Amino acid sequence: MAIVLSRTDPTSVMASTVDERGELVGAPLALEFSALAAFVTERERAHRAAGDAAERWVWSDSSRWYGDLLTAGVRVQRCHDLRLSHAILRNSTLSAGTEFARSAPSEWSRPAEPLTAAVAPVHSALFDLSDTIASGRSAAAADDSVAEYRRQLRAIAEVPDAGRLRLLLAAESVGALIAAEMRSAGLPWRTEVHDAILTEELGPRVPYGTRPAKLEVLAGRIRSILGDNTVNPDSPQSMLKALNRAGLMITSTSRWELAEYTHPVIAPLLEYKKRARLLTANGWTWMDQWIVDGRFHPDYVPGGAATGRWATSGGGALQLPRQIRAAVTADPGWKLVVADAAQLEPRILAALSADTSMAAAGRGVDMYAGIVASGVVETRDQAKVAMLGAMYGATTGESGRLMPKLTRAYPRAIRLVEQAARAGERGELVTTWLGRSSPAPGEDWREAQWRASQPGASTAEEARARSRARDWGRFTRNFVVQGSAAEWALCWMAELRKGLLAIEGMNPQPPGRRAAASGPVFERIPHLVFFLHDEIIVHTPAEHAEEVAAVVTAAAATSGRLLFGDFPVDFPLGIATVERYSDAK
């Protein structure tokens, strides 16, 4: 059974119980929004008391529904996110033959708008429909949740051997719950530590728009070396002209290109860029905007990238530099359990391709070291460069030189990514292990290919078409690996969330052990607070830290079995229990 929540007007919601085909069971229940939290709480409590599997809550968009339930102290176990599932089913090659995929796009085909266009309080007003109305979406289209759920169930039923696709939809939906929970609880943050780091790196705080003292000193050194008091290190155009006048014929001020040159100005300029980046990305203004009551509350966007990787619509949680990680500090009496999956993408590639030799190279050890021990290459750095080249399509330099060795050692793995690249070059779709498919190349790509195929096409048009084809082939080459790794990570977090709920002894802690800033749901229990592709952080009472670490490890093993059955590939983790994030590595 599932309960579909639909908006009926700005103050009411309809709760419709449906069966496994999406057909109504009994009459829908009309509720005032103010009564919804109590209704959800009662249904969740009843199933837990009876020992039954929790009902699945079905709603349009977890980011729009779940945050306010969490604010009210209500946590749900399962959901089906209609908008995320719609995108997968519409675009997957596995469901391409269904009526659902062939039908005309609808309001459900539009991506969800960011929860916040700029920094806002952690939660909006309870189920405020103003965003939907202002965006021009009709209430009828937004509220057609029961019919949309029925269409999705029908589409899944039409897919032969839909087990993987069902797992993907379940993982995507629980990922949406986790994203909302992490936003609600927040990442524990010490602003006094952050301020001290900024002061050390930049100098004392100055008014917005003013260059801090240490940046000003570096700017003076740059001007002195170049003999130009007008150059502005914050302006790429100004710096590029000054560097060209100094005899450095560079084409950009990227740190990668600057590092290739030897000149007295390079070192201070690179140092300036590093510190200026800290100021603009995570400086005092960022801290004032994003840290609320000792917590960082970013807006995660599950499935925000084409591969299924997460993105953020605010706060930059996926780009927290090492310079400020000391500010991520557990509450008194609590710990941070930090875990990351070692060489996740190469291990995923081994499993995808059923390359037993490659899987064996990483069994119980660092995979790159295992490749060296197998005699494929001479050093760990070579193994890493070669593997990244294989997955990302590097054909020149050190990667290109090492590729033949890698191909001989792991033919199945290399064949898989090569086939994905060739498919992309032909403009075909590729699909991840569980069923997420790549987007089709754009109209510009297709026009370039068409022009090159015409009689009398110029050499330039043919070269442009080949270049576009190779670029898209590099995208599809990596898509199958990166997207499948994202699926593994979703399953890992889902199993971890389940394991954290099951930890024994999670009775209310003494008042001094509460993490009150984490909100009513998470102030007394271990909970996820951070996710970055292959890395997670759990904030936990210190007495549960060892048990949490065991759950994290078990969840990774279970995720591997969910995706790849008994194929012998390991997914080892690096785990550290620390008070500060910076101490984890």
Side-chain angles (χ1 to χ4, degrees):
M1 293 290 182
I3 300 178
V4 183
L5 299 180
S6 305
R7 294 162 169 162
T8 55
D9 60 53
T11 62
S12 304
V13 62
M14 190 72 72
S16 304
T17 301
V18 300
D19 61 19
E20 63 276 4
R21 295 177 299 173
E23 301 298 334
L24 289 173
V25 177
L29 176 65
L31 296 167
E32 294 296 316
F33 281 130
S34 58
L36 182 60
F39 172 74
V40 174
T41 298
E42 180 56 33
R43 297 300 291 254
E44 289 276 330
R45 182 183 293 122
H47 282 278
R48 284 197 296 271
D52 299 334
E55 290 172 309
R56 178 177 283 106
W57 298 94
V58 179
W59 47 44
S60 58
D61 185 338
S62 298
S63 67
R64 295 285 175 182
W65 286 87
Y66 192 33
D68 294 292
L69 289 173
L70 290 166
T71 298
V74 181
R75 190 183 194 189
V76 305
Q77 293 189 49
R78 304 166 69 198
C79 88
H80 180 90
D81 190 299
L82 290 169
R83 197 167 300 281
L84 290 174
S85 298
H86 180 99
I88 291 171
L89 289 170
R90 285 282 296 181
N91 300 314
S92 176
T93 58
L94 301 185
S95 54
T98 65
E99 180 183 349
F100 185 88
R102 295 195 305 267
S103 62
S106 67
E107 285 290 328
W108 291 99
S109 301
R110 296 176 59 176
E113 295 174 357
L115 187 59
T116 52
V119 178
V122 178
H123 300 299
S124 58
L126 188 61
F127 307 111
D128 185 358
L129 293 186
S130 60
D131 294 340
T132 299
I133 296 169
S135 69
R137 296 186 183 180
S138 69
D143 295 339
D144 191 21
S145 297
V146 173
E148 172 64 16
Y149 184 50
R150 188 178 300 128
R151 286 189 292 266
Q152 292 188 15
L153 291 176
R154 189 179 301 124
I156 297 167
E158 293 176 21
V159 175
D161 192 19
R164 291 183 187 176
L165 192 57
R166 290 179 187 276
L167 178 57
L168 175 57
L169 297 179
E172 189 86 337
S173 293
V174 76
L177 293 181
I178 292 168
E181 289 172 355
M182 289 197 295
R183 182 174 191 264
S184 177
L187 184 64
W189 201 279
R190 297 277 295 277
T191 53
E192 69 275 17
V193 175
H194 190 170
D195 178 72
I197 293 169
L198 295 176
T199 302
E200 175 67 23
E201 293 289 324
L202 305 171
R205 184 170 186 171
V206 294
Y208 179 76
T210 305
R211 187 178 284 131
K214 292 192 176 183
L215 281 182
E216 190 60 60
V217 169
L218 285 168
R221 287 180 57 195
I222 292 167
R223 293 183 185 122
S224 176
I225 293 170
L226 294 175
D228 185 348
N229 289 328
T230 67
V231 68
N232 178 8
D234 295 314
S235 168
Q237 295 81 8
S238 175
M239 277 305 312
L240 191 59
K241 291 178 180 178
L243 292 169
N244 290 162
R245 287 194 296 270
L248 297 175
M249 294 298 104
I250 63 176
T251 58
S252 77
T253 59
S254 72
R255 62 190 182 97
W256 306 109
E257 186 169 356
L258 288 171
E260 295 178 359
Y261 289 83
T262 301
H263 188 281
V265 78
I266 298 298
L269 180 54
L270 289 174
E271 185 65 25
Y272 184 95
K273 289 173 71 67
K274 175 184 174 183
R275 300 193 186 207
R277 169 64 182 169
L278 174 63
L279 176 64
T280 56
N282 300 101
W284 290 283
T285 299
W286 180 90
M287 184 172 68
D288 292 343
Q289 290 178 324
W290 285 100
I291 308 303
V292 179
D293 296 330
R295 292 293 187 269
F296 171 37
H297 300 276
D299 290 335
Y300 290 102
V301 182
T307 59
R309 274 189 168 189
W310 285 17
T312 61
S313 62
L318 303 182
Q319 296 177 334
L320 288 183
R322 294 187 180 278
Q323 295 157 288
I324 62 168
R325 291 184 180 181
V328 181
T329 304
D331 286 4
W334 289 59
K335 295 287 187 180
L336 301 176
V337 176
V338 183
D340 66 280
Q343 303 96 38
L344 176 59
E345 289 189 1
R347 294 173 190 277
I348 290 291
L349 175 56
L352 288 176
S353 59
D355 195 316
T356 53
S357 295
M358 187 171 168
R363 192 162 303 132
V365 297
D366 176 290
M367 176 170 273
Y368 299 136
I371 292 173
V372 173
S374 299
V376 180
V377 293
E378 297 176 356
T379 68
R380 186 183 185 280
D381 285 345
Q382 287 180 343
K384 184 175 182 178
V385 166
M387 190 59 65
L388 292 177
M391 293 186 297
Y392 287 87
T395 57
T396 60
E398 185 75 348
S399 294
R401 185 181 70 82
L402 295 170
M403 272 299 295
K405 296 182 178 181
L406 209 63
T407 302
R408 286 193 296 271
Y410 312 121
R412 286 177 175 266
I414 303 306
R415 185 184 308 121
L416 184 141
V417 290
E418 289 293 339
Q419 289 174 344
R422 301 293 86 76
E425 291 172 3
R426 294 190 297 268
E428 299 170 2
L429 306 187
V430 296
T431 300
T432 62
W433 184 250
L434 293 186
R436 190 189 306 270
S437 294
S438 62
E443 190 59 37
D444 289 347
W445 187 94
R446 296 192 179 280
E447 183 177 354
Q449 306 308 312
W450 179 82
R451 289 185 178 278
S453 67
Q454 298 305 300
S458 68
T459 301
E461 288 174 329
E462 292 174 348
R464 186 180 304 112
R466 287 194 298 271
S467 176
R468 294 281 185 88
R470 286 194 297 270
D471 288 345
W472 199 254
R474 280 191 288 271
F475 167 69
T476 54
R477 168 193 292 270
N478 182 244
F479 183 95
V480 292
V481 179
Q482 189 179 106
S484 299
E487 293 164 354
W488 180 91
L490 277 177
C491 292
W492 178 33
M493 285 200 297
E495 290 298 317
L496 172 56
R497 180 178 185 263
K498 187 191 305 181
L500 293 178
L501 285 170
I503 286 181
E504 297 179 1
M506 290 195 307
N507 297 316
Q509 305 299 318
R513 308 303 294 275
R514 294 172 56 198
S518 295
V521 173
F522 302 109
E523 64 180 353
R524 300 178 187 275
I525 61 174
H527 54 280
L528 274 158
V529 291
F530 184 72
F531 169 56
L532 176 61
H533 305 322
D534 59 3
E535 182 175 2
I536 58 93
I537 301 178
V538 176
H539 192 212
T540 178
E543 59 266 34
H544 293 307
E546 185 175 344
E547 195 170 1
V548 166
V551 169
V552 170
T553 301
T558 301
S559 179
R561 289 193 298 272
L562 278 172
L563 268 68
F564 305 114
D566 59 0
F567 183 76
V569 61
D570 290 343
F571 293 99
L573 305 177
I575 300 182
T577 299
V578 295
E579 292 185 0
R580 299 190 303 181
Y581 185 21
S582 57
D583 295 334
K585 294 182 179 180

